Amino acid sequence: MTFAQPKMTARDVSVFYGPKQAVKSVTIDVPTDEVTAFIGPSGCGKSTFLRTLNRMNDTIPAARVEGQIALDGEDIYSAGMDVVQLRARVGMVFQKPNPFPKSIFENVAYGPRIHGLARHKSDLEAIVQRSLKRAGLWDEVKDRLSDSGTALSGGQQQRLCIARAIAVDPEVILMDEPCSALDPIATARIEELIAELRGNYAIVIVTHNMQQAARVSQRTAFFHLGQLVEYDATDTIFTAPKEARTKDYITGRYG
Amino acid sequence: MSSTLVAGAPAIGAEPAARAPTDWRTDAMRGRIRRRYAAERRFRLLGLAAVTLSCGFLLVLLASMLSSGLGGFQRTDVRLSIDFPALNLPVTRGQLRGSGADLALAGAGLQGAVGRAAVQAFGEGGDRYIADRAWLTVRDAVLADPGLLTRRTAIDVPASSGIDAAARGAGRADDEAVVARLEGLRLLSTAINWDFFTRADATDPGAVGIWGALKGSLLTMAVTLLVAFPVGVLSAIYLEEYAGRNRWTDLIEVSINNLAAVPSIIFGLLGLAVFLNTLHLPRSAPLVGGLTLALMIMPVIVIAGRNAIKAVPPSIRDAAFGIGASRIQVVFHHVLPLALPGILTGTIIGMARALGETAPLLMIGMRAFIASPPGGLADPATVLPVQIFLWSDEVSRGFVEKTSAAIIVLLAFLLAMNAAAIYLRNKFETRW
Ligand SMILES: Nc1ncnc2c1ncn2[C@@H]1O[C@H](COP(=O)(O)OP(=O)(O)OP(=O)(O)O)[C@@H](O)[C@H]1O
Ligand SMILES: [Mg+2]
């Protein structure tokens, strides 16, 4: 399915780990200002495909990507594309919260600092405060910004990681099962956060939780065995899927 | 239920028996618990014994070194009374002012005069009771107070090595007799041998000092650290973070692992061939010694560094890459700080090994008799372990204590180095 103004487009994207093909010829458009959910059984290539969108696969020596992926119409795998800038524009939140073993302030300030986004210390402080507020963490940590980021609870750490990702003001945020290590309350908090962030960023979220996909996303893509089986409005996928495989998965036949 | 789900189940009819609750109170169970506790206890005792044994060895080593080496830091002084007016030294008061004073005293024959004073004080052969360098002590006393030249005075001067040994109960019979006589006159005393910390090697055990070898070791270690640490760490970073995995990096890895196990004397031969014969660097110099030892410990640092870098959680790397850090930023902002404690541990081990190394340094000529401390990296020098080796080879009894004293200095150096490294490591230790 395609849109008039997609934020990112993938055309015939295949990913190989050595001789093994993990993603098979996926074509998909990621809309601006909406949340897209990737669902599918374990090992079907969701994470692998997600990581092609900001070229995190470059860090895995065995991985090889074929096909075309564009951000605002610009091929991100072309020779002229700077990976560092690309990853600032397409941020990522990982499955396991992974704050740096540095202070809370440093965690958030690190991105803006290396990208030269703040001219003065006061700018940097403003960015940190704004990002933590957006990530809904400010009230909990405003009095202990110099404490270690790793001393926070799991849910707080994950929100810190989200604050860290949005501090560099990305256009797209990729989230790979951001709630799988969290309890229901922390999960609800993150889902709220995603709803608040929607509209400012294009968000792609990988999830195993059908209810979560239904709650937070407007579009849902179902992957199976490396293929994109079906991609449609979330309502349609969950109420009237066209493909039998999608229906089987959603109703819990396998996965 | 579909038939496929029970495909692997036992044939129909072989109903599993009702589950009998496990009886945890049978004798067999109790016996098992007893044996488990006994095994735990045995293991604890074994561990305790091992720790006690190794600590015991350490204590025995320390105690024996201290008991035999502490004397090396002391010297025996003889109180020598000198009648300066009677000696009639041809020096004027004016000559004793200013910088030429020590030359003037030497030129006036102070050395011979002190010998004569000793004969006068102790009788025939009395000049053999005091050390050859005793006149230097007299000279320094006169320089400090020129008024001494006008009167009769008594100065504590170092005893000769024969008297010194006899005073410690390890001398020849005739010296022992002299000591007994001097002691009866209350002329003997012991003092801390500060000269030991300021002088270098000498032929007379009473006159030797450790400073020459200590400074040689300091300079050599500085060269080793400055070369091996950056090169080793950079190699480790390159191999872990930049080089892909292929036949060449595998080959390099195997070579480095083997290099770490090569006997040290081989590195001495390598240093001899490369630094002396090819590059014509100065023989016996801390520069060459340091470079040779750097070659030796570099593999240790590379291996420790690679392991430390490998142990940094990949999630930290992902996090940094994920917000657009470049590779070099990932390495220097995140990986290296977390790997530093491990790298420092490897460096401590390597440096401790280098500090105690003798064989490779013998190959590059650091075993010469060097009577003055090195002035710089290119001056002939020796190092502590080589000095210990040389002194332990001396026949003169006075060197036995000096050898132990040098070992104490070497151990103190080692402890200081390790303490510094552990301090640094704790400073950089971060939890994640
Ligand atoms: N670094 C890697 N090297 C080799 N194969 C990999 C690597 N990462 C993933 N794969 C393989 O690629 C396939 C897709 O993996 P991927 O992690 O994308 O699945 P996923 O859909 O995210 O699964 P999950 O829901 O369990 O996270 C799997 O078969 C996996 O074994
Ligand atoms: Mg995954």
Side-chain angles (χ1 to χ4, degrees), chain B residues 157-371:
Chain B
V157 300
S160 67
S161 28
I163 300 299
D164 186 54
R168 296 161 197 262
R172 297 200 314 261
D174 49 345
D175 287 332
E176 302 260 8
V178 172
V179 166
R181 181 160 67 88
L182 293 178
E183 247 164 13
L185 297 169
R186 300 188 163 279
L187 290 177
L188 290 185
S189 61
T190 54
I192 292 185
N193 187 5
W194 291 112
D195 284 350
F196 187 67
F197 296 104
T198 57
R199 302 170 70 96
D201 204 0
T203 42
D204 171 13
V208 299
I210 199 66
W211 175 236
L214 184 59
K215 193 172 176 195
S217 270
L218 277 169
L219 292 174
T220 307
M221 286 298 108
V223 173
T224 304
L225 185 65
L226 287 181
V227 174
F229 186 71
V231 176
V233 172
L234 285 180
S235 313
I237 292 175
Y238 183 82
L239 287 173
E240 272 312 306
E241 299 283 334
Y242 287 87
R245 287 210 65 91
N246 55 39
R247 210 170 309 148
W248 291 114
T249 46
D250 284 349
L251 188 71
I252 291 174
E253 171 154 15
V254 171
S255 318
I256 290 177
N257 289 347
N258 282 322
L259 222 49
V262 166
S264 58
I265 192 147
I266 311 285
F267 285 98
L269 288 168
L270 181 68
L272 177 67
V274 175
F275 300 126
L276 297 186
N277 295 345
T278 309
L279 297 177
H280 300 294
L281 293 176
R283 186 167 284 272
S284 308
L287 177 66
V288 176
L291 288 173
T292 306
L293 293 178
L295 287 183
M296 189 187 83
I297 71 166
M298 224 157 354
V300 179
I301 297 182
V302 174
I303 291 171
R306 290 187 68 172
N307 287 336
I309 290 172
K310 256 191 217 130
V312 174
S315 63
I316 299 290
R317 243 175 235 139
D318 278 348
F321 277 125
I323 52 170
S326 64
R327 197 167 269 281
I328 195 165
Q329 286 169 333
V330 173
V331 169
F332 282 93
H333 295 167
H334 302 285
V335 175
L336 213 47
L338 293 179
L340 207 52
I343 296 176
L344 285 176
T345 305
T347 309
I348 299 173
I349 295 171
M351 290 294 285
R353 190 179 152 201
L355 180 63
E357 210 42 84
T358 320
L361 299 179
L362 298 181
M363 301 307 301
I364 55 147
M366 288 187 96
R367 64 163 305 166
F369 173 79
I370 291 150

Side-chain angles (χ1 to χ4, degrees), chain B residues 30-253:
Chain B
R30 285 177 204 279
R32 192 169 293 122
I33 291 174
R34 254 197 321 278
R35 280 196 300 279
R36 185 152 48 83
Y37 278 111
E40 298 263 353
R41 222 171 13 248
R42 259 199 315 277
F43 188 76
R44 277 246 296 282
L45 282 176
L46 269 179
L48 198 64
V51 170
T52 316
L53 196 66
S54 45
C55 285
F57 275 130
L58 198 64
L59 283 180
V60 168
L61 172 78
L62 279 181
S64 77
M65 281 306 139
L66 287 178
S67 69
S68 62
L70 280 182
F73 297 110
Q74 290 178 339
R75 70 174 194 210
T76 308
D77 279 352
V78 186
R79 174 151 300 189
L80 174 65
S81 61
I82 306 176
D83 187 2
F84 280 108
L87 287 173
N88 229 341
L89 289 175
V91 279
T92 62
R93 255 170 189 273
Q95 283 177 306
L96 287 182
R97 274 191 283 275
S99 54
D102 45 357
L103 274 180
L105 282 171
L110 182 63
Q111 185 168 12
V114 169
R116 269 178 280 130
V119 173
Q120 234 168 47
F122 309 126
E124 186 65 27
D127 54 342
R128 283 191 292 103
Y129 300 176
I130 61 171
D132 287 344
R133 64 188 193 291
W135 73 279
L136 294 172
T137 311
V138 176
R139 183 193 68 184
D140 292 343
V142 172
L143 288 177
D145 177 13
L148 288 180
L149 287 181
T150 60
R151 56 177 193 264
R152 193 187 172 90
T153 185
I155 300 175
D156 286 337
V157 300
S160 67
S161 28
I163 300 299
D164 186 54
R168 296 161 197 262
R172 297 200 314 261
D174 49 345
D175 287 332
E176 302 260 8
V178 172
V179 166
R181 181 160 67 88
L182 293 178
E183 247 164 13
L185 297 169
R186 300 188 163 279
L187 290 177
L188 290 185
S189 61
T190 54
I192 292 185
N193 187 5
W194 291 112
D195 284 350
F196 187 67
F197 296 104
T198 57
R199 302 170 70 96
D201 204 0
T203 42
D204 171 13
V208 299
I210 199 66
W211 175 236
L214 184 59
K215 193 172 176 195
S217 270
L218 277 169
L219 292 174
T220 307
M221 286 298 108
V223 173
T224 304
L225 185 65
L226 287 181
V227 174
F229 186 71
V231 176
V233 172
L234 285 180
S235 313
I237 292 175
Y238 183 82
L239 287 173
E240 272 312 306
E241 299 283 334
Y242 287 87
R245 287 210 65 91
N246 55 39
R247 210 170 309 148
W248 291 114
T249 46
D250 284 349
L251 188 71
I252 291 174
E253 171 154 15

Side-chain angles (χ1 to χ4, degrees), chain A residues 51 56 59 84 87 92 94 98-102 110-111 114-115 150 164, chain B residues 315-316 318-326 329 333-334 338 430-432:
Chain A
R51 290 163 63 92
M56 279 300 279
T59 61
V84 162
R87 294 199 189 123
M92 189 152 202
F94 298 83
N98 55 356
F100 298 130
K102 299 174 191 280
Y110 182 70
I114 61 172
H115 293 297
T150 50
R164 182 176 66 190
Chain B
S315 63
I316 299 290
D318 278 348
F321 277 125
I323 52 170
S326 64
Q329 286 169 333
H333 295 167
H334 302 285
L338 293 179
T430 357
R431 272 169 280 275
W432 63 77

